[in-house]
Amino acid sequence: MPNIKTNGRVIVITGPMFSGKTSTLIHHLEREQYAENKIAVFKPRIDNRYSAMEIVTHAGQKLSAIVVPTGEEAYGIIMKGAKNVGVVGIEEAQFFSKDANIPKLIMELSKGRRVIVTVLNKDHTGEVFGNAGEILAKADEIECLTAICRKCRSDGASFTQRVDDKGTPIFGEQVHVGGKEDYEPRCRDCFVFPEGKL
Ligand SMILES: [Zn+2]
């Protein structure tokens, strides 16, 4: 019989792209599965390419992530979906709009649940991404991950650079879906800030 209630706790996993945030979330969820805790995972719908997502743990169990809209309706959908579980995972929390009020949702969910959230640490200009700052402020524990810098190969990259197909940094809207650009992790020395910003 799976456990419904757990002691409340908020873990936020943050870092640049390619730092292993999802793998770390899966690691946490696997530990919960061994304890037979009931889990629900939510993911923002940022485009129409993916209608669903499945997380397969090393233990071989499949976890379906519930894909939810990024607007204010997300709050109610996640609360409802988390009703009978003791552990809630939220992927890529930076993509939810301010109306979704994820920081408040985390507080509400953490009453009797463990909440594990992944969030991008900075946007492609080096600034805070959406609600990420407030989300981090709700954490009991922050796991701050880094990647390997794509440019100089040093460890400890904490920035995410948006680049064109030649690797030249490009800047624009915070969320840009369906564009041709790519992203790469970069260290502080290799990261290029937009002009006029440090
Ligand atoms: Zn570097």
Side-chain angles (χ1 to χ4, degrees), residues 149 151-154 186-187 189-190:
C149 176
K151 213 167 158 68
C152 74
R153 315 286 158 181
S154 67
R186 290 202 182 181
C187 71
D189 289 346
C190 294

XYZ file of all heavy atoms in Angstrom, residues 149 151-154 186-187 189-190, ligand 1:
70
model
N 31.824 23.523 -19.361
C 31.764 24.618 -20.328
C 32.009 24.086 -21.743
O 33.007 23.409 -21.984
C 32.795 25.693 -19.983
S 32.848 27.027 -21.196
N 32.799 25.753 -24.307
C 33.837 26.498 -25.023
C 35.249 26.132 -24.547
O 36.093 25.803 -25.356
C 33.590 27.993 -24.845
C 34.005 28.822 -26.029
C 33.449 30.223 -25.927
C 34.251 31.196 -26.753
N 34.132 30.976 -28.184
N 35.475 26.166 -23.218
C 36.831 25.910 -22.722
C 36.958 24.566 -22.012
O 38.043 24.192 -21.579
C 37.286 27.033 -21.797
S 36.492 26.986 -20.169
N 35.820 23.838 -21.910
C 35.784 22.488 -21.312
C 36.091 22.458 -19.820
O 36.354 21.395 -19.269
C 36.731 21.500 -22.022
C 36.690 21.525 -23.526
C 35.441 20.885 -24.068
N 35.203 21.381 -25.434
C 34.184 21.029 -26.190
N 33.295 20.180 -25.743
N 34.022 21.527 -27.387
N 36.118 23.619 -19.180
C 36.362 23.593 -17.737
C 35.084 23.162 -17.023
O 33.982 23.287 -17.553
C 36.803 24.971 -17.239
O 35.740 25.888 -17.360
N 28.096 27.447 -20.386
C 29.389 28.138 -20.417
C 29.798 28.564 -19.012
O 28.958 28.839 -18.164
C 29.309 29.395 -21.299
C 29.170 29.054 -22.773
C 29.615 30.202 -23.633
N 29.443 29.901 -25.043
C 29.778 30.740 -26.013
N 30.280 31.933 -25.720
N 29.604 30.403 -27.271
N 31.102 28.639 -18.815
C 31.619 29.121 -17.531
C 31.528 30.649 -17.511
O 31.243 31.283 -18.530
C 33.054 28.654 -17.318
S 34.240 29.487 -18.379
N 33.832 32.891 -17.401
C 34.788 33.567 -18.274
C 34.383 33.515 -19.746
O 34.678 34.418 -20.519
C 36.188 32.947 -18.118
C 36.819 33.302 -16.777
O 36.296 34.221 -16.108
O 37.814 32.659 -16.400
N 33.728 32.438 -20.139
C 33.373 32.267 -21.559
C 32.003 32.836 -21.900
O 31.703 33.063 -23.074
C 33.413 30.789 -21.940
S 35.066 30.073 -21.866
Zn 34.630 28.322 -20.320
